[in-house]
Amino acid sequence: MVIRFAGDSGDGMQLTGDRFTSQTASFGNDLSTLPDFPAEIRAPAGTLPGVSSFQVHFADHDILTPGDAPDVLVAMNPAALKANTADLPRGAEIIVNTDEFTPRNLSRAGYDASPLDDGSLAAFTVHPVPLTTLTVGALTGSPLSRKEAERAKNMFALGLLSWLYHRPTDGTERFLRAKFARRPEIAEANIAAFRAGWNFGETTEDFAVSYEVAPAGRAFTPGTYRNISGNLALAHGLVAAGVRSALPLFLGSYPITPASDILHELSRRKDFGVRTFQAEDEIAAIGAALGASFGGSLAVTTTSGPGVALKSETIGLAVSLELPLVIVDIQRGGPSTGLPTKTEQADLLQAMYGRNGEAPVPIVAPATPGECFTAALDAARIALAYRTPVFLLSDGYLANGSEPWRIPDPDELPDLRVEFATTPNHGDEFWPYLRDPVTLARPWAVPGTPGLEHRIGGIEKQDSTGNISYDPANHDFMVRTRQAKIDGIEVPDLEVDDPHGATTLVLGWGSTYGPITAAVRRLRTAGESIAQAHLRHLNPFPANLGSVLARYDKVVVPEMNLGQLATLIRAKYLVDAHSYNQVNGMPFKAEQLATALKEAIDD
């Protein structure tokens, strides 16, 4: 089932969707979510730009996307209905809050007449419910004012949907009591509205049936699971990297959508010795992080595309200094400020080349919200082992979306411990650029270590000694050595899913994994033969990527940009990779990709 909650940005749709998702996760369904909300803090009430929605797809089997189209739309006002009707398939159910369908609200949404009366919704099953009136009635006798009581209508809607789909309720009631612990009267009012919504579903004749979606036991390997968003998984992965490296974790960050949740979460993790610094700007944030790395910390900076542009000079400095630094870029629509709350994959070329000079940086990209955890560990591994800044490219879709995630056993996590330089390494001298023969990493000396004083800065260094050097031959050598260090990073070979010996390969990266995999499943069910591969490492590419590409007559690369990975593939491997692109701020739909891939197969 696919359900979308939609309403004004003040109607609590994100909280409602989150609670329904948590109930669904605790029930044992597989799920995927898509929050969608305005960039404005408070867009004009009742208008289309102010509509906020939350879509959740849940099933008794493994699923990969938030769903192409809602089976049920909960519309809290006319604007929410108008903004989402075009996405509904014929026969979908619509639950509308009739109390909000006033002439003024209809006009704000652009309706000339009420769609509830003019027959325009004849293709759907419409359930008119006076949510506001029923909520206020349920809270008769509450100490809350009428205006405060009306705010609980989202909990009434949640209770109704919880009844309709047999969702557990105890967790939501515990959550409300905890959330409003300082205002128990608000907690009890929301719980009363939630229960009233459940009872309304139980007693009304408008909903003839309820639905039960069984747990997806076969979709999961054994273990303990929790529902997790990409940003939360990434934050937990960074904490785990700090523990497994036995280094203090330092985050230098400036708040920016959609990366701010990582700063919020890590600021709560003082129990793991995490230090967070909310800087005055992006440049100060990465400067502090690089300073922390120089001082011996596992250093991280988080941002989105506009912040990467500001951080680029310091990233180049980190390349020159050859110090570990994890740069987390939660991509969003651009250019400039762009679409702060919408998703995009358009920072790949910026991460690859967005610095002056030859300044190569490794790039890691998770494919799912849960995979953000392992991507954080992998980025830390590369940064620490090879003494280099590393880009971790997530995006708004992964950051805000969620899925069930198996909590790993700590013993499963990699050992990331490093050895600092403690003694001179060249007779009685310390040479800061005397490299490890395998990794080409230079020694990491914590400031204040006796006898290990060394120069630091962005001017070119002499090989081994670290002295300032303007020698042309030395510069050529250092540039090539830094590139060789990145080229030599160990990354797993690319795995190819090709059970039928296909001639067409679809190659993806990042958050396109779910829609691509869902589309490939549809095509194979229809009897088509198609291969799939997904890149988690974009610099360096897996060593076998060239041989994989050579096996196929056609290579299709779907991306939420205008073909950035395809450009890199064409340039490096001389393969005529075909781009399929979308830059509308939303993730691909599975059916859309399936149609495009079928055309590629038949072409």
Side-chain angles (χ1 to χ4, degrees), residues 243-545:
V243 173
R244 297 296 288 177
S245 64
L247 296 175
L249 178 65
F250 178 90
L251 173 68
S253 182
Y254 179 76
I256 184 171
T257 301
S260 298
D261 288 342
I262 303 171
L263 170 61
H264 299 160
E265 177 60 25
L266 290 181
S267 68
R268 303 185 184 105
R269 296 276 67 97
K270 295 181 179 65
D271 51 337
F272 284 98
V274 178
R275 294 183 179 180
T276 53
F277 170 55
Q278 181 175 319
E280 64 269 29
D281 56 44
E282 295 280 4
I283 299 171
I286 189 171
L290 185 55
S293 177
F294 179 58
S297 293
L298 172 57
V300 182
T301 188
T302 53
T303 190
S304 191
V308 174
L310 291 166
K311 295 177 188 291
S312 61
E313 183 180 5
T314 307
I315 297 171
L317 176 60
V319 171
S320 176
L321 300 182
E322 300 191 46
L323 286 171
L325 177 66
V326 177
I327 305 140
V328 177
D329 177 6
I330 312 297
Q331 300 166 96
R332 70 190 205 188
S336 188
T337 310
L339 305 173
T341 60
K342 307 300 180 183
T343 195
E344 207 164 271
Q345 288 183 299
D347 293 351
L348 175 56
L349 293 183
Q350 179 179 224
M352 185 75 78
Y353 300 121
R355 293 161 296 283
N356 65 297
E358 295 289 343
V361 174
I363 303 173
V364 178
T368 67
E371 203 172 278
C372 290
F373 178 87
T374 51
L377 283 163
D378 199 26
R381 171 190 70 86
I382 294 171
L384 294 171
Y386 294 88
R387 311 287 197 268
T388 177
V390 178
F391 263 103
L392 198 169
L393 290 184
S394 179
D395 61 42
Y397 173 37
L398 295 181
N400 296 318
S402 65
E403 66 178 358
W405 172 69
R406 187 180 71 84
I407 300 172
D409 188 301
D411 293 337
E412 300 174 11
L413 305 181
D415 185 347
L416 302 180
R417 286 174 294 181
V418 297
E419 292 187 7
F420 291 111
T422 57
T423 58
N425 58 4
H426 186 77
D428 294 333
E429 299 180 352
F430 174 65
W431 283 8
Y433 284 85
L434 189 63
R435 301 178 183 277
D436 181 288
V438 176
T439 65
L440 299 183
R442 76 174 186 87
W444 192 4
V446 175
T449 305
L452 302 192
E453 297 84 1
H454 59 284
R455 290 180 177 85
I456 204 77
I459 295 178
E460 184 64 280
K461 309 298 187 298
Q462 186 181 53
D463 175 42
S464 299
T465 69
N467 296 327
I468 291 174
S469 172
Y470 296 101
D471 178 64
N474 177 79
H475 177 60
D476 182 276
F477 178 81
M478 292 294 279
V479 167
R480 294 179 186 277
T481 300
R482 287 189 289 261
Q483 183 65 58
K485 181 174 70 170
I486 304 306
D487 292 341
I489 292 172
E490 289 189 11
V491 301
D493 277 350
L494 180 66
E495 296 181 1
V496 183
D497 177 18
D498 185 6
H500 306 116
T503 59
T504 299
L505 171 72
V506 54
L507 179 69
W509 71 278
S511 66
T512 57
Y513 173 79
I516 289 174
T517 307
V520 166
R521 285 183 181 178
R522 294 188 185 196
L523 290 173
R524 289 176 180 170
T525 300
E528 300 291 341
S529 178
I530 186 168
Q532 177 188 359
H534 206 79
L535 290 166
R536 271 79 169 181
H537 293 88
L538 297 156
N539 193 32
F541 285 129
N544 68 331
L545 177 56

Side-chain angles (χ1 to χ4, degrees), residues 2-26:
V2 180
I3 297 174
R4 182 181 297 175
F5 298 92
D8 199 62
S9 57
D11 285 337
M13 294 297 93
Q14 302 306 315
L15 175 62
T16 305
D18 181 70
R19 291 318 309 161
F20 190 90
T21 300
S22 294
Q23 295 173 0
T24 298
S26 66

